[in-house]
Amino acid sequence: MSEFFGINPSDAGLGALLTLVVLLILTGRLVPRRTHEDALSDRDNWRQAFLESEALRKVEREQVEELLELAKLGGHILTALPRAGQADEGEVTADARMDPAPRTRL
């Protein structure tokens, strides 16, 4: 057999094996099955929450785009309205009439 760290595994006894397992547990490379299953279920819960969040974010983005279009339309309407105190070039005043003839009362 090959050697690991200068030690032949066939020469190692029960104490070396126990020491190896304890070191693996302390370094976090060997975890109990329950802890591993909890980590996997927690990962799946976070993944599901992320997917739901992204779906709702897509709906929200579509609604915001719709509202922006309506806001742009409202902005165009407001800019097209005449402003107070400013006369439009084509605005008709009380002095202007289509028939330039003087009005006579009957």
Side-chain angles (χ1 to χ4, degrees):
M1 287 187 103
S2 64
E3 292 185 2
F4 294 106
F5 303 112
I7 300 173
N8 192 351
S10 61
D11 294 339
L14 184 59
L17 183 60
L18 183 60
T19 304
L20 179 65
V21 170
V22 169
L23 285 174
L24 288 174
I25 290 173
L26 291 176
T27 58
R29 292 194 174 121
L30 185 63
V31 293
R33 179 187 303 259
R34 178 75 179 155
T35 305
H36 179 67
E37 289 173 355
D38 287 346
L40 289 179
S41 67
D42 192 39
R43 178 198 65 186
D44 293 340
N45 290 340
W46 278 106
R47 179 177 290 150
Q48 185 63 29
F50 171 75
L51 293 175
E52 289 174 7
S53 171
E54 287 302 308
L56 292 174
R57 193 181 317 251
K58 180 181 177 187
V59 170
E60 181 183 9
R61 185 173 40 246
E62 291 170 355
Q63 289 177 350
V64 167
E65 287 175 2
E66 220 174 287
L67 289 173
L68 281 174
E69 288 298 320
L70 290 174
K72 286 179 185 177
L73 175 65
H76 289 304
I77 290 172
L78 288 176
T79 55
L81 291 175
R83 293 186 177 100
Q86 294 179 349
D88 218 6
E89 291 177 5
E91 185 175 347
V92 178
T93 62
D95 298 342
R97 295 184 356 187
M98 292 188 70
D99 184 15
R103 293 172 106 184
T104 58
R105 290 194 172 184
L106 295 175

